[in-house]
Structures are given as C-alpha cells and as structure tokens.
Amino acid sequence: MGLLPKLKAYAESLLQEAQQVPDERKALLQQLADYLVQSKGTPVKLNFICTHNSRRSHIAQIWAAAGAAYFGIPGVETYSGGTEATAFNPRAVAALQRAGFQIHNPGGENPHYQVAFAETQAPLICYSKTFDAPVNPQSGFAAIMTCSDADQNCPFIPGAAFRLPLTYDDPKVADGMPEETARYDERVRQIGREILYAMQLAAQKMKST
C-alpha cells in the first residue's frame, strides 16, 4: 500500500539508515519482527505504552501502522495508551507532520486527531487514553513499552501475550528550549527508523517462508 508521497520519501530515507541502529536495539527489534512473523495469518495487535500517552507511544503507534502499510504486512492493528491520560502533545503532532503525516486537529481538551498516512487507508484516530481503555485490546496483544517509567512502574500488563521494553528518551526535556524542534524531529526519526527496521525484517521473513 502506498504511503503519502512526502511520507514515502521520508520512510525510504529512514530505511537507508539501518546502520545507525545500535546492535542492542536491533536485538529488541528482531523480537518484534519475530512476533509479527509468528502471528502471520491472524490479527496482530500492538499496544504502545508510555506514562502519559502524549508523545513516544503515539509516535510509535503511528509509525507501526505506516510501516505495516508500506511493507504490505496484513492484519497489523496499532494502539497506544498510558498509565494515565493527558493529551497528544502538539509538539509531537507537529514533528509528525513535518515527516509527512497529514494530521487534522478537531480541537478540544484531549483532541481526537485524525492521522493519515496512506491515500487508500482510513486515518488513525489518536488521542490520549490509558493502556486498558475500552478502545484498546484487552487480551492477546503485544505490550510495547516506549518509556522506562511505564516499563518499571507496570511490571504486569493484564492481557498482554508479549511484552517488549522498547524505550526512548522523552523529547519533553527540550520543551520551551531552543533545541525543542530538533529534539522532537530527532525522536520521530529515531522511532520511525527502528519501527521500519523491524517491519522490514518481518516482511523479509514472511516472504521467505
């Protein structure tokens, strides 16, 4: 499935940066790829979890949906949640827009953003919620922990069939500082690079089996 043109070019540039993924991260991403391969033929539900469901978990959820579409991996459903709900941070939204995602903000205290990544696929509806909110899967899902606080404070995620600590530094530390935009762009790029790396591994394995 084709991604939106600007996003496709951005994704292809990330795929050229696989050498930038450290070996210890590649080992974690291989686990994610193996989970996708083992689930072939059945829906794969990926729930990306951080503390506030405001930045990293949304970025990872969105990249996972785009990556599955780019590589034609069927049945991948992406979700995100936090240990508490706040709002999808507008700085993260803006960084995703700069990467090529088309995002509509309907307004409100906790906006239900519409995130488009492909012309022929319905946009994701992204807003802050807890990881066990009714709209998220309650069993048989992968819990991908995108922040160390959530990983440490939630040693048990009810209903998770698989758990992976794929944590990232919080770009929030640069809020209000001169490097704010660069830090958010860096995190969107890092998460995209790694998620696409895992999706590519899974797609290659599926084609060879």
Side-chain angles (χ1 to χ4, degrees), residues 39-166:
S39 302
K40 186 178 180 181
T42 60
V44 181
K45 300 178 180 181
L46 306 178
N47 193 359
F48 295 89
I49 300 170
C50 66
T51 302
H52 297 120
N53 192 209
S54 60
R55 295 170 176 81
R56 291 163 287 178
S57 50
H58 274 120
I59 294 169
Q61 174 197 2
I62 291 164
W63 268 121
Y70 183 84
F71 287 107
I73 302 175
V76 176
E77 302 173 9
T78 68
Y79 306 86
S80 67
T83 54
E84 59 183 278
T86 55
F88 190 178
N89 190 274
R91 299 173 182 86
V93 171
L96 287 162
Q97 288 174 316
R98 290 191 291 272
F101 292 93
Q102 293 182 1
I103 304 178
H104 172 67
N105 178 6
E109 187 173 329
N110 182 9
H112 287 44
Y113 291 91
Q114 298 174 30
V115 182
F117 55 89
E119 294 285 1
T120 57
Q121 189 155 323
L124 298 171
I125 305 300
C126 296
Y127 62 98
S128 186
K129 70 197 85 63
T130 57
F131 67 81
D132 57 355
V135 295
N136 284 342
Q138 304 299 305
S139 64
F141 62 91
I144 314 298
M145 313 302 291
T146 59
C147 85
S148 56
D149 286 345
D151 187 41
Q152 294 166 5
N153 294 327
C154 294
F156 175 68
I157 301 294
F162 172 72
R163 179 186 177 122
L164 183 68
L166 191 65

Side-chain angles (χ1 to χ4, degrees), residues 10 95 181-193:
Y10 187 99
T181 296
R183 186 66 61 87
Y184 275 84
D185 287 346
E186 174 189 357
R187 196 61 63 242
V188 165
R189 194 164 191 91
Q190 179 194 14
I191 294 174
R193 182 189 302 124

